Amino acid sequence: MLECLAVKPAQESPHDGTIKSVERVITDDESPKPGFLNGREGSAEATVSITVVGASGDLAKKKIFPALFALYYEGCLPKHFTIYGFARSKMTDEQLRELISGTLTCRIDQKENCGDKQEEFLKRCFYHSGQYSSEESFSELSRKLHEHEGGRVANRLFYLSIPPDIFVDVARSSSSAASSKNGWTRVIVEKPFGRDSESSAELTKGLKQYLNEDQIYRIDHYLGKELVENLSVLRFSNLVFEPLWSRQYIRNVQFIFSEDFGTEGRGGYFDNYGIIRDIMQNHLLQILALFAMEPPVSLDAEDIRNEKVKVLRSMRKLDMANVVIGQYKGHVRGGVKYPAYIDDKTVPNNSNTPTFAAAALFIDNARWDGVPFLMKAGKALHKRGAEIRVQFRHVPGNLYKRSFGTDLDKATNELVIRVQPDEAIYLKINNKVPGLGMRLDRSNLNLHYAARYDKEIPDAYERLILDAIEGERRLFIRSDELDAAWSLFTPLLKELEIRKVSPELYPYGSRGPVGAHYLAAKYNVRWGDNSFEPTED
């Protein structure tokens, strides 16, 4: 799973101690370093208190607590740690433990008794009921945390698994009543980070009244996925790829996200945001920025995020002519009736919210000038998956062009990074079929993770929570990144809403609207995920 011992101890920054509204008790030179982290003694014994705000919600139950247990199971948490759930619901410690116990699994290996490890972990989990806007509630929480911290250097992490409209209330209440007096205090903030540039800026301004930027960890769980984190390794540590990473050799790049299910009773939240805000503006755009950035000066978080911001600021304004939106409709297949989006009882009958979107984006800089970056995201499609496809240009003066005819896609190479499921990296090459004749075939040079590595890939939340504890910000979103991302999509979103553009309907379980294929064809591109690809080990 995670190689915890390879992770460096958490780094202090001038602004990463106590929250703004609480006076610092120690100077920066006296800042304590985490002790006994990953089994290694530091300069002072420390403890980490993790508070999951919104502990009774689905995200906490299904993702956050299981990720914390996985980190504990692998020995990645400090020797001294405490986990508190915080929510408005009335609940006892035992009820919280019962709530989350069914979601804890020892899915990595069985090197230690799973039941014993779960019991040990649950003994470290507690619950406090309170109001999100109440300083008194957080003061009571702080008193309980202090009892568990036992006079050690107290580092505190708050995970805000709550709707964005109460982020600022929690930041205010926790800052004045529950921040650490002698260690660091950090806050993980879940998306959505607003609905547009204005609401995002307002949210950032509100948080920064009580938190420094260095304390805010805006989480996009896609950045914690193994294949996304491997993207820069693949490019910058392999000589075969970096020289090809430009307009000179790359014909187009595709970022594809698809789900094979609809909203199915969960459309209330989705209808307020839609697929562009939910997937494209954050997940896919963040991956695009990582893919297209210039080589950073170092692997330091700020150097990497600086390069990502440059990419986002270089992107051309989105044109409606380069965007297709769709919404799935009811469909009967194999005797099974699949519902339309508007059949969801939590969705208005006249909703125009897109469940599918495709867009052609361009980066106006020397490296990528003229290369179309195609994004596609949708629900209720023919398969589930997320992948990056890099289609290279054809070979100039190809000696074997007669063997390919006019099929440009067959004549060119393609690098595919399959983020999920069944993680893999494979390169499509042209190859001679064995025999006396000269017949060419397309084959895959395939790195299939399940076949190559015997370790299970950790969940993205495990990596990101560990990074937040360690003070590693590389995979979290900085405020100027967020501003640049919203600046790109906000004009498009406003135009769609003002013009009340009706989405193109597509059958549940299909490949999406026909318009998406015309959009790709406009740039002489064929969506790579629509072709049949046999699996190779």
Side-chain angles (χ1 to χ4, degrees), residues 437-498:
M438 180 55 69
R439 188 164 63 91
L440 301 190
D441 186 26
R442 238 185 155 192
S443 301
N444 292 347
L445 300 179
N446 194 357
L447 169 59
H448 185 214
Y449 271 58
R452 173 65 179 85
Y453 302 106
D454 57 3
K455 290 187 175 182
E456 184 167 337
I457 294 174
D459 183 79
Y461 283 92
E462 297 167 29
R463 173 175 287 108
L464 293 169
I465 291 173
L466 181 60
D467 278 355
I469 294 172
E470 296 286 353
E472 172 57 70
R473 300 175 182 84
R474 181 170 46 92
L475 299 177
F476 294 88
I477 302 170
R478 204 167 61 189
S479 61
D480 55 345
E481 283 185 78
L482 193 59
D483 292 343
W486 276 121
S487 295
L488 182 64
F489 277 95
T490 295
L492 169 70
L493 290 165
K494 286 188 174 180
E495 188 173 358
L496 288 171
E497 290 168 2
I498 291 171

Side-chain angles (χ1 to χ4, degrees), residues 278-413:
D278 195 40
I279 302 297
M280 294 180 77
Q281 182 273 337
N282 42 71
H283 298 334
L284 297 188
L285 190 62
Q286 283 292 319
I287 296 173
L288 184 155
L290 273 175
F291 178 95
M293 70 181 183
E294 294 297 315
V297 174
S298 73
L299 292 178
D300 180 76
E302 297 311 305
D303 289 334
I304 291 174
R305 296 196 291 188
N306 286 344
E307 296 304 330
K308 288 169 62 184
V309 170
K310 289 178 186 178
V311 170
L312 296 174
R313 289 178 175 169
S314 299
M315 297 190 72
R316 190 183 307 172
K317 179 184 175 182
L318 266 169
D319 189 336
M320 277 290 294
N322 283 330
V323 176
V324 172
I325 61 170
Q327 186 184 99
Y328 65 87
K329 63 181 181 179
H331 182 57
V332 178
R333 187 173 70 247
V336 179
K337 184 178 180 181
Y338 295 91
Y341 173 66
I342 57 175
D343 289 339
D344 188 325
K345 293 181 180 179
T346 62
V347 173
N349 290 332
N350 60 347
S351 175
N352 276 339
T353 299
T355 60
F356 176 99
L361 301 96
F362 293 87
I363 302 171
D364 291 331
N365 64 17
R367 182 182 291 269
W368 298 113
D369 185 36
V371 177
F373 286 78
L374 299 178
M375 281 187 186
K376 183 171 67 169
K379 289 182 172 292
L381 296 173
H382 66 297
K383 65 179 181 180
R384 170 181 172 265
E387 59 189 21
I388 306 165
R389 288 179 172 264
V390 186
Q391 296 183 349
F392 293 92
R393 298 190 182 279
H394 68 277
V395 177
N398 194 332
L399 295 173
Y400 298 97
K401 60 184 177 183
R402 290 182 180 178
S403 302
F404 297 111
T406 58
D407 190 344
L408 183 63
D409 290 313
K410 189 175 181 181
T412 57
N413 304 119

Side-chain angles (χ1 to χ4, degrees), residues 61-103:
K61 184 171 65 174
K62 295 177 181 177
K63 289 292 185 181
I64 301 172
F65 284 111
L68 288 169
F69 173 66
L71 292 175
Y72 172 71
Y73 186 79
E74 286 295 305
C76 295
L77 292 180
K79 176 182 177 182
H80 301 291
F81 76 91
T82 303
I83 297 172
Y84 255 89
F86 182 100
R88 290 177 295 212
S89 306
K90 298 293 183 182
M91 200 184 308
T92 64
D93 295 342
E94 285 304 320
Q95 286 174 323
L96 173 71
R97 292 164 185 165
E98 184 178 347
L99 179 72
I100 64 177
S101 61
T103 67

Side-chain angles (χ1 to χ4, degrees), residues 107-179:
R107 56 178 175 74
I108 311 303
D109 54 48
Q110 295 294 335
K111 66 185 181 185
E112 294 189 48
N113 184 277
C114 185
D116 290 345
K117 297 294 282 187
Q118 288 183 0
E119 188 174 338
E120 291 168 10
F121 174 78
L122 290 171
K123 286 179 181 177
R124 306 276 196 108
C125 296
F126 304 90
Y127 185 79
H128 180 73
S129 174
Q131 297 299 312
Y132 296 129
S133 59
S134 168
E135 292 183 17
E136 183 181 353
S137 293
F138 278 92
S139 180
E140 293 172 1
L141 171 68
S142 182
R143 180 181 55 78
K144 291 181 178 180
L145 293 177
H146 185 71
E147 290 176 2
H148 289 284
E149 288 159 352
R152 302 180 184 89
V153 172
N155 298 316
R156 293 183 176 180
L157 176 67
F158 293 86
Y159 196 124
L160 306 193
S161 177
I162 51 178
D165 58 348
I166 51 177
F167 282 168
V168 177
D169 286 342
V170 172
R172 177 184 53 77
S173 301
S174 61
S175 70
S176 60
S179 59

Side-chain angles (χ1 to χ4, degrees), residues 204-233:
T204 297
K205 181 180 178 182
L207 290 173
K208 286 187 176 181
Q209 290 180 40
Y210 310 104
L211 302 167
N212 293 299
E213 175 65 27
D214 286 348
Q215 294 175 277
I216 304 171
Y217 287 69
R218 298 174 188 84
I219 191 171
D220 183 335
H221 72 274
Y222 256 72
L223 294 181
K225 290 188 176 291
E226 185 68 37
L227 272 291
V228 175
E229 188 166 16
N230 192 44
L231 188 56
S232 59
V233 177

